[in-house]
């Protein structure tokens, strides 16, 4: 029997996926639940597991190419004897110009009884945080041993394959990827094949360093060249085009940040970030204005069950992603900051799970670190409002007692869906947000 491996939907917005690498090669044995391919979705790189046991017979979508969700990207044969038939089946589909092997699967099943059957189930997609993702705890490592440290190891599928090829003991390595994840570069360095200076298998590496990413094509493009959009950039395009259908308006507010800046200086040494402070302030303001945390549907106004603050982060290889601080109104500022640092690190390493970037109910876009004083943000699909935050800068102002003074101020601009959020709603929200930041920022630490 031959089974199809489909391109899975790794997120609700994903329409196609790009093959990052095939963990298995044609002819390799595949266990049920074992990772066979790494797919780049619109926001992250995800491992795709097999629902079936057998042999990877044929690959329909090679590394670097994209396939639409639901398309056949490979075939898995239950026995070695069926590998050749699967390869012929895939070749026949290519000759006929078919987008998948589904039609040829049915024909082969009719002409070769018992050899081929259709499979309706799709392969599941999971992140690759666990060392035993490709096998049980009793599996041996590349050196043929089962170290006691194995349960604590975090190994990428590509790194595990290289370790087996080079017979490298994973228990002697410390990974350079996020959270100490052992990546392919660590194995190559241990095997003496790294392009950089040779490294020993036991050389310590910082666990917090992000995994090396592929260099952006736009960074190396020459004058006059056309560079194709990557998967993430295409996702941004689709979202922005969809936003054009929403009637929006913008409302601005000037917020004095002297007390907030003073608080930030006090708690920054404890690991608190300004992004977490702003997210916390917005979340508390949303408690009083739940309409700003809702979004429009054809059935009516959909109110969110929790306050999840998404914060836009620029990606080094193009595009942007919005990691989500879930239950931001309930978490304390210190745990919120730790969570935010972890989300940013893993987002830039493309290791976020779908719910960590697609569950936002309100979005912040902060360009203040670039010195931008004000801008308008585009409303993301599935949300009712987004807040654009400019830089906090000293300004000469007239004080309440009629004197001239200097205060630090920032400009914020709110973009709202006018179908459900009216001008008075947005203005009231900004007024309460300003009051919180200007008069009671200490409440953010409670």
């Amino acid at each position: 029997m031959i089974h199809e491996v489909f391109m899975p939907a790794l997120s609700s917005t994903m329409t196609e996926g790009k093959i990052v690498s095939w963990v298995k090669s044609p002819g390799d044995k595949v266990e049920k639940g074992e990772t066979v391919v790494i797919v780049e979705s619109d926001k992250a790189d995800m491992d795709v597991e097999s629902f079936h046991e057998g042999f990877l017979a044929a690959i329909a979508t090679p590394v670097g190419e994209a396939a639409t969700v639901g398309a056949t990207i490979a075939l898995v044969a239950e026995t070695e004897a069926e590998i050749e038939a699967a390869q012929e089946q895939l070749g026949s589909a290519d000759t006929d110009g078919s987008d998948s092997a589904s039609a040829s699967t049915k024909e082969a099943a009719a002409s070769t009884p018992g050899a081929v059957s259709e499979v309706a189930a799709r392969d599941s997609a999971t992140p690759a945080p666990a060392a035993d993702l490709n096998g049980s705890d009793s599996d041996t490592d590349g050196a043929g041993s089962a170290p006691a440290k194995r349960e604590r190891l975090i190994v990428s599928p590509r790194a595990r394959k290289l370790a087996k090829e080079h017979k490298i003991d994973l228990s002697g390595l410390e990974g350079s990827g996020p959270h100490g994840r052992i990546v392919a570069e660590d194995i190559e360095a241990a095997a003496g094949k790294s392009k950089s200076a040779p490294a020993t298998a036991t050389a310590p590496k910082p666990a917090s360093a992000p995994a090396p990413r592929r260099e952006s094509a736009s960074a190396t493009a020459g004058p006059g060249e056309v560079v194709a959009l990557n998967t993430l950039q295409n996702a941004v395009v689709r979202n922005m085009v969809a936003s054009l259908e929403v009637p929006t308006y913008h409302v601005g507010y000037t917020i004095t940040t002297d007390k907030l800046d003073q608080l930030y200086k006090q708690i920054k040494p404890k690991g608190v970030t300004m992004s977490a402070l702003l997210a916390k302030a917005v979340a508390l303001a949303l408690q009083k204005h739940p309409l700003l945390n809702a979004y429009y549907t054809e059935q009516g106004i959909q109110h969110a069950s929790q306050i999840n603050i998404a914060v836009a982060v620029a990606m080094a290889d193009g595009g942007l992603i919005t990691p989500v601080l879930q239950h931001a109104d309930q978490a304390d500022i210190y745990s919120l900051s730790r969570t935010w640092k972890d989300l940013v690190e893993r987002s830039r390493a493309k290791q976020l799970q779908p719910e960590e970037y697609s569950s936002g109910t309100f979005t912040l876009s902060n360009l203040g670190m670039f010195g931008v004083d004000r801008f308008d943000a585009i409303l993301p699909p599935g949300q009712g409002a987004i807040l654009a935050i400019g830089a906090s800068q000293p300004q000469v102002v007239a004080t309440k007692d009629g004197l001239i003074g200097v205060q630090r101020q920032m400009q914020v601009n709110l973009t709202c869906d006018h179908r459900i959020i009216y001008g008075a709603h947005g203005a009231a929200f900004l007024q309460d947000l300003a009051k919180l930041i200007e008069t009671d920022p200490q409440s953010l630490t409670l």
Side-chain angles (χ1 to χ4, degrees):
M1 183 177 292
I2 298 175
H3 305 286
E4 296 176 76
V5 179
F6 297 99
M7 174 62 71
L10 303 177
S11 70
S12 59
T13 59
M14 178 177 169
T15 59
E16 68 175 14
K18 181 179 179 181
I19 304 298
V20 176
S21 65
W22 283 96
V23 179
K24 294 290 185 178
S25 300
D28 287 352
K29 185 76 169 70
V30 176
E31 302 292 339
K32 183 177 181 180
E34 186 175 12
T35 298
V36 293
V37 63
I38 300 176
V39 172
E40 179 188 52
S41 70
D42 51 355
K43 303 290 185 179
D45 291 352
M46 306 288 282
D47 292 0
V48 177
E49 300 175 352
S50 174
F51 273 172
H52 309 283
E53 180 180 351
F55 298 86
L56 183 63
I59 293 175
T61 308
V63 172
E65 292 191 7
T68 57
V69 170
T72 300
I73 57 176
L75 298 178
V76 173
E78 288 192 355
T79 64
E80 288 186 272
E82 295 171 325
I83 293 179
E84 185 176 351
Q87 293 173 344
E88 293 177 356
Q89 171 186 314
L90 189 60
S92 174
D94 292 339
T95 302
D96 295 338
S98 173
D99 291 334
S100 69
S102 300
S104 57
T105 300
K106 296 177 182 179
E107 294 174 3
S111 60
T112 312
V116 182
S117 72
E118 292 185 83
V119 180
R122 300 177 187 272
D123 289 63
S124 64
T126 59
D132 59 350
L133 190 62
N134 295 327
S136 65
D137 290 340
S138 62
D139 289 345
T140 59
D141 58 27
S145 62
K149 187 180 178 182
R150 178 183 177 89
E151 293 183 357
R152 297 190 298 272
L153 291 177
I154 306 176
V155 188
S156 73
R158 176 61 178 165
R160 181 170 295 281
K161 182 178 180 180
L162 288 175
K164 290 181 179 180
E165 292 177 357
H166 297 295
K167 300 187 182 300
I168 293 176
D169 185 354
L170 293 174
S171 64
L173 292 180
E174 292 191 27
S176 62
H179 308 288
R181 187 186 194 197
I182 297 175
V183 295
E185 287 76 7
D186 300 323
I187 304 299
E188 292 172 350
K193 295 187 176 181
S194 176
K195 295 181 180 180
S196 57
T200 62
T202 57
K205 297 181 180 180
S208 60
R213 304 301 306 163
R214 298 179 298 279
E215 187 176 6
S216 171
S218 60
T220 58
E225 291 187 22
V226 176
V227 179
L229 298 179
N230 61 32
T231 308
L232 177 58
Q233 290 169 322
N234 278 317
V236 173
V237 170
R238 290 193 298 271
N239 287 341
M240 295 304 97
V241 171
S243 296
L244 294 176
E245 301 178 359
V246 179
T248 61
Y249 69 93
H250 308 280
V251 56
Y253 209 99
T254 300
I255 301 178
T256 300
T257 63
D258 289 334
K259 291 186 177 181
L260 180 67
D261 293 335
Q262 184 179 2
L263 172 65
Y264 178 56
K265 289 180 181 179
Q266 294 174 355
I267 60 180
K268 181 180 179 181
K270 298 180 181 180
V272 175
T273 66
M274 180 56 76
S275 293
L277 273 174
L278 293 172
K280 180 72 172 181
V282 168
L284 294 180
L286 286 174
Q287 288 181 333
K288 299 181 179 180
H289 302 273
L291 189 59
L292 273 291
N293 200 47
Y295 65 94
Y296 169 84
T297 68
E298 293 184 357
Q299 292 72 37
I301 301 174
Q302 177 64 58
H303 287 270
S305 59
Q306 57 197 48
I307 297 177
N308 296 340
I309 305 299
V311 185
V313 173
M315 302 291 285
D317 57 350
L320 58 87
I321 192 170
T322 53
V324 178
L325 290 166
Q326 299 185 0
H327 300 285
D329 58 324
Q330 300 177 16
D332 66 86
I333 192 62
Y334 303 102
S335 61
L336 204 63
S337 295
R338 289 192 296 270
T339 300
W340 176 244
K341 289 181 178 179
D342 174 65
L343 287 171
V344 171
E345 177 183 294
R346 290 191 291 115
S347 67
R348 288 175 174 162
K350 303 191 74 175
Q351 295 298 324
L352 291 182
Q353 298 183 39
E355 64 271 16
E356 292 178 313
Y357 59 78
S358 61
S359 59
T361 58
F362 186 99
T363 297
L364 297 183
S365 182
N366 184 6
L367 293 180
M369 69 285 293
F370 297 104
V372 174
D373 57 359
R374 69 183 68 190
F375 68 102
D376 291 328
I378 299 176
L379 184 68
Q383 294 183 24
I386 180 174
L387 187 66
I389 302 175
S392 176
Q393 298 174 338
Q395 303 286 345
V396 177
V397 299
T399 62
K400 292 181 179 181
D401 53 10
L403 300 177
I404 299 297
V406 176
Q407 294 179 339
R408 295 189 66 86
Q409 296 180 333
M410 70 178 181
Q411 303 287 332
V412 297
N413 283 340
L414 183 68
T415 302
C416 297
D417 184 344
H418 210 324
R419 293 174 296 183
I420 62 171
I421 303 172
Y422 304 148
H425 299 138
F429 166 77
L430 291 179
Q431 191 176 48
D432 283 342
L433 176 63
K435 182 179 179 180
L436 173 62
I437 292 175
E438 292 177 348
T439 65
D440 191 25
Q442 287 291 340
S443 63
L444 302 178
T445 64
L446 300 179

